[in-house]
Amino acid sequence: MGDFTVNVKNNGPYRLEGEGITIRDQEGRVYGLAGRTVVSLCRCGQSANKPFCDGTHKKVGFDGTETASRQPYREQAQLTEGPALALSDAESLCAFARFCDPNGQVWSQVERTDEPQVRATFVRQVNNCPSGRLVAWDRATGKPVEHHLPVSIGVIEDPVEGVSGPLWLRGAIPVIAADGFAYEIRNRVTLCRCGASKHKPFCDGTHAAVKFDDGAVGD
């Protein structure tokens, strides 16, 4: 996959610009975008052609005002230290993916990261957090423990809850605000596509509360 940038349009869609744009659904199927260097993705949640924009944001008067914090992740996050690894947590970025919940939850596991089996489970679950709310840190080096993610965009579905989730940006894709501000580039980011997040352009899990459905849940 090539390099591209996500530009947030004022009260409009996400505009992807660059080479090699590919978007995959949760089953790995690729949307037909061969050769496209500009793609607009729905941000208001009401397009009839999701995940793509069809101009509905103009008809419904979508308010896409960006309200997310512009502080670096480390300044937003709370830190919990364990014996071998630490856990940083920026709760406002939660996308309600629930990868943090199994095996006693990561907040309990961090206290036992000197145990190899617990440490491996902890790192896996933290890295499965699509939004990057959670990050594991090696206390010896002070560096994040991040799995390599190729540059890619996914559309998240949540059939367990019967709702559709956010866009999942992987591999350090730049996101530029409507006023030109460059958000911190991160390995894992989720962008709201239900239109109801209180931390636009990022997902805050509201899609679950409003029962957002893009028509693909359970496909």
Side-chain angles (χ1 to χ4, degrees):
M1 191 169 187
D3 296 325
F4 56 90
T5 298
V6 175
N7 293 282
V8 182
K9 307 307 291 183
N10 186 38
N11 296 327
Y14 300 112
R15 187 177 177 90
L16 280 57
E17 301 181 23
E19 299 293 332
I21 297 174
T22 301
I23 302 171
R24 296 178 182 273
D25 67 13
Q26 200 141 296
E27 302 301 320
R29 295 172 294 197
V30 179
Y31 292 96
L33 300 173
R36 299 274 296 275
T37 57
V38 177
V39 176
S40 292
L41 298 180
C42 177
R43 188 161 75 95
C44 72
Q46 300 188 54
S47 170
N49 189 34
K50 302 179 189 71
F52 304 105
C53 173
D54 67 356
T56 299
H57 58 276
K58 297 178 181 178
K59 298 176 184 177
V60 300
F62 173 59
D63 181 359
T65 303
E66 294 170 70
T67 53
S69 171
R70 294 187 169 187
Q71 292 180 307
Y73 169 80
R74 290 293 299 271
E75 294 182 17
Q76 298 181 52
Q78 299 292 318
L79 187 68
T80 301
E81 294 188 349
L85 300 176
L87 175 68
S88 57
D89 178 2
E91 187 174 0
S92 66
L93 299 177
C94 183
F96 200 63
R98 304 184 301 286
F99 287 107
C100 54
D101 286 342
N103 305 298
Q105 298 192 331
V106 294
W107 297 273
S108 298
Q109 295 169 16
V110 68
E111 300 172 355
R112 299 171 55 199
T113 50
D114 53 345
E115 302 174 31
Q117 185 173 352
V118 174
R119 182 167 60 248
T121 299
F122 172 79
V123 170
R124 181 179 68 253
Q125 289 182 207
V126 169
N127 274 271
N128 281 339
C129 170
S131 69
R133 165 189 174 175
L134 303 173
V135 177
W137 299 84
D138 187 324
R139 293 196 63 192
T141 64
K143 295 182 179 180
V145 183
E146 283 276 353
H147 293 164
H148 172 72
L149 295 175
V151 177
S152 57
I153 292 182
V155 176
I156 293 179
E157 305 291 347
D158 189 347
V160 173
E161 293 292 323
V163 298
S164 300
L167 294 171
W168 186 11
L169 275 56
R170 301 171 290 232
I173 296 173
V175 178
I176 310 300
D179 65 2
F181 174 82
Y183 291 102
E184 180 182 20
I185 297 176
R186 304 190 62 220
N187 192 38
R188 295 171 279 137
V189 169
T190 48
L191 298 180
C192 172
R193 65 187 184 107
C194 72
S197 171
K198 295 178 177 61
H199 298 288
K200 296 182 183 70
F202 302 109
C203 173
D204 68 353
T206 300
H207 58 271
V210 301
K211 300 298 181 183
F212 174 60
D213 183 359
D214 66 2
V217 179
D219 283 2

